[in-house]
Amino acid sequence: MAMPSDIAIIDTMIGFPSTDRREVYKFLAPSLRDAESKEDFKMPAQYMFKDIPGEIEEGVDAVAVTLDNMDRYGVAQGLINVGNETRDEPRRAITAHPDRFLGLVDVDPRQGMDAVRKIRRYHDEFGIVAVSSFPSGCETAINAAAFYPVYATCAELGLPIFLTAGVPGPRVPLGPQRVEYLDEICWFFPELTVVMRHGADPWTELAVKLMLKWPNLYYSTSAFAPKHYPKAIIDYANTRGADKVLYAGYFPAGLTYERIMTEMPAIGLKDEVWPKFLRGNAAKILGLSS
């Protein structure tokens, strides 16, 4: 059950440090109502994390910082949001280092056909391999009609969609992210690959039941420190779900690579599951060589 050291890890959620973390999350500001979230937190789920990676100073190359972390901890490739048009680092990174970074675009379904056009544009210009969305942040339920054009476009282009599921960390309503909504989506779009992000907590047992039911539903470990990975998910990965659970970190939003990789060896995966968890499952979903 020892964690192997010779696997070219794919991290399915990685980003770049900034000089002002508040700027990264300003899109969520209109939805936040409590004073602590609006005035004190530098990231909207700050109350959940300790030792959040620090900001960088002006003039420091954020792409270089992320690459250095990847190199030190054996991460060969990282899935990044190239659709964040307020920063130049993602597009610069994927252009300069196409062997290290994989493109994803995050969309807001409330934008209607503009969201569809955004997916197509980034698919054509940057060769994105996935799409993501934050239903609670968009105030739109996973199974709402507004999401259907997004899902249809992803299915048509062969792109998996990563959806935040379960109670959101930021202090916004959980309603849009109820895990049972995924049942409808997997039924209606059997050609669409859906990957849960951010835990599916507290409905992890339901998440496992749905993954058993639907071949197109997967789980990624983003935003959880390894020692807090849900037991139901680890048990599933070690049994019938070896092909369904994939690694995702949370650097630099909430976790350092030092903490992730220090805790990772103790999560208790079987020897034959580690290669799938760290690379193989993500490679399959994203259309890469294993």
Side-chain angles (χ1 to χ4, degrees):
M1 287 191 177
M3 177 179 169
S5 59
D6 60 347
I7 294 175
I9 298 170
I10 298 174
D11 187 337
T12 55
M13 189 169 187
I14 190 172
F16 302 98
S18 64
T19 57
D20 183 358
R21 187 176 261 109
R22 288 181 188 274
E23 283 294 305
V24 177
Y25 296 100
K26 66 181 181 180
F27 75 95
L28 195 57
S31 299
L32 301 173
R33 299 175 64 86
D34 66 289
E36 194 172 33
S37 292
K38 292 193 292 184
E39 299 170 10
D40 298 336
F41 290 167
K42 288 198 170 185
M43 63 94 77
Q46 186 170 323
Y47 68 94
M48 296 181 65
F49 296 92
K50 62 180 181 180
D51 302 325
I52 293 174
E55 296 168 324
I56 57 174
E57 297 180 358
E58 292 285 351
V60 174
D61 185 347
V63 176
V65 171
T66 294
L67 280 169
D68 177 66
N69 275 270
M70 293 168 67
D71 290 342
R72 282 189 285 134
Y73 293 99
V75 177
Q77 294 168 292
L79 187 62
I80 60 171
N81 175 22
V82 296
N84 182 352
E85 296 178 350
T86 65
R87 303 187 65 182
D88 75 317
E89 290 92 349
R91 290 177 296 284
R92 177 164 58 87
I94 202 167
T95 300
H97 307 280
D99 57 327
R100 305 300 304 277
F101 295 107
L102 307 165
L104 166 150
V105 66
D106 191 79
V107 298
D108 183 337
R110 295 172 297 182
Q111 295 177 347
M113 286 303 297
D114 282 344
V116 170
R117 283 187 280 268
K118 183 176 183 180
I119 294 170
R120 293 187 181 281
R121 176 162 60 90
Y122 278 88
H123 183 258
D124 292 343
E125 293 182 11
F126 293 97
I128 60 169
V129 296
V131 173
S132 69
S133 195
F134 175 17
S136 283
C138 298
E139 301 177 353
T140 306
I142 286 170
N143 64 343
F147 261 118
Y148 272 56
V150 171
Y151 298 148
T153 303
C154 289
E156 179 187 352
L157 295 176
L159 300 174
I161 186 162
F162 288 72
L163 293 170
T164 309
V167 176
R171 290 169 177 162
V172 294
L174 67 85
Q177 297 185 174
R178 297 185 68 88
V179 170
E180 65 259 35
Y181 294 157
L182 293 165
D183 187 57
E184 175 185 328
I185 303 311
C186 291
W187 164 73
F188 199 83
F189 294 97
E191 297 173 38
L192 174 67
T193 296
V194 180
V195 186
M196 290 175 273
R197 268 186 170 175
H198 288 25
D201 189 59
W203 300 291
T204 50
E205 292 186 0
L206 175 58
V208 168
K209 290 287 187 182
L210 291 176
M211 283 189 282
L212 285 167
K213 178 181 181 180
W214 298 113
N216 54 333
L217 183 62
Y218 296 79
Y219 182 100
S220 67
T221 59
S222 62
F224 275 51
K227 73 176 182 179
H228 296 304
Y229 287 172
K231 182 178 184 299
I233 297 300
I234 297 300
D235 290 347
Y236 177 59
N238 277 330
T239 53
R240 296 177 66 182
D243 297 323
K244 288 295 201 85
V245 181
L246 49 147
Y247 165 65
Y250 203 42
F251 174 86
L255 296 168
T256 63
Y257 266 120
E258 179 179 14
R259 180 179 182 187
I260 292 170
M261 295 305 175
T262 298
E263 295 181 7
M264 188 76 80
I267 65 174
L269 290 180
K270 293 181 179 179
D271 290 345
E272 63 270 24
V273 176
W274 278 112
K276 296 181 178 183
F277 172 68
L278 293 174
R279 181 177 178 86
N281 293 341
K284 177 183 67 176
I285 289 169
L286 302 175
L288 310 175
S289 61
S290 58

